[in-house]
Amino acid sequence: MRLILLGPPGAGKGTQAARLVEKHGIPQLSTGDMLRAAVKAGTPVGLQAKTVMEAGGLVSDEIVVGIISDRIREADARKGFILDGFPRTVAQAQALDVMLAAQDMTLDAIVELKVDENALLARIENRARETLAAGGTVRADDNPDAFKKRLDAYREQTAPVSGYYASRGVLKTVDGMAPIDAVTKALDVALAG
Ligand code: ADP
């Protein structure tokens, strides 16, 4: 199964993706995780991405398209994958179409987690608190200033991606405000139908 999870920052894509990984035995391809790993490792991509990520902006289409195009060619992605955080612009969605076609691959589902924007900042603050309490390191962009920029980037550049898929009639939506287990169930139903 090849699946895209769409939704604003804090919508719960990562949480649900982890459950889908277990259930379907396919990898979660999170551009955010891959970019954070590149920043940590100090690779050329990481050096380019660091400042823009910390400020809550979007990394260039060229960089993330390159990362995904390499990643979906790896052996573990052959059975399928869950894209989380990609595509984040219409240009990325178009590039994805081209790379999938080149490999004779099609998407099985595109699901958007719908959430009330007012709840998002509280979720991010909660995630930062829980991470600290667990002795972890809070993401550099999980603070109110960067989060506002991430929401702006979402509204301006990522929300149109839903329209891109909706206009083809392939977009499904799930209520991301429900409790975590209820969202998982709704996702299962959406993916089965
Ligand atoms: P979120 O919790 O906001 O969904 P992610 O972990 O998906 O965060 O991404 C964190 C940051 O990584 C983004 O704010 C952006 O700077 C960068 N990033 C991740 N995916 C992409 C992408 N597809 N295009 C551009 N930038 C991206």
Side-chain angles (χ1 to χ4, degrees), residues 7-14 30-36 49-65 68 84-89 92 124 127 139 141-142 146-147 149-151 153-154 157-158:
K13 300 186 296 289
S30 157
T31 41
D33 287 350
M34 293 183 233
L35 289 166
R36 278 186 288 277
K50 186 173 193 288
T51 321
V52 55
M53 285 176 77
E54 282 176 0
L58 290 190
V59 174
S60 75
D61 288 338
E62 195 189 347
I63 288 182
V64 291
V65 167
I68 286 293
D84 161 13
F86 181 94
R88 230 181 184 90
T89 64
Q92 290 176 21
I124 292 291
R127 171 160 84 189
R139 272 170 51 171
D141 60 351
D142 269 356
F147 189 70
K149 293 238 179 66
R150 283 157 65 197
L151 266 188
Y154 175 77
Q157 294 172 268
T158 309

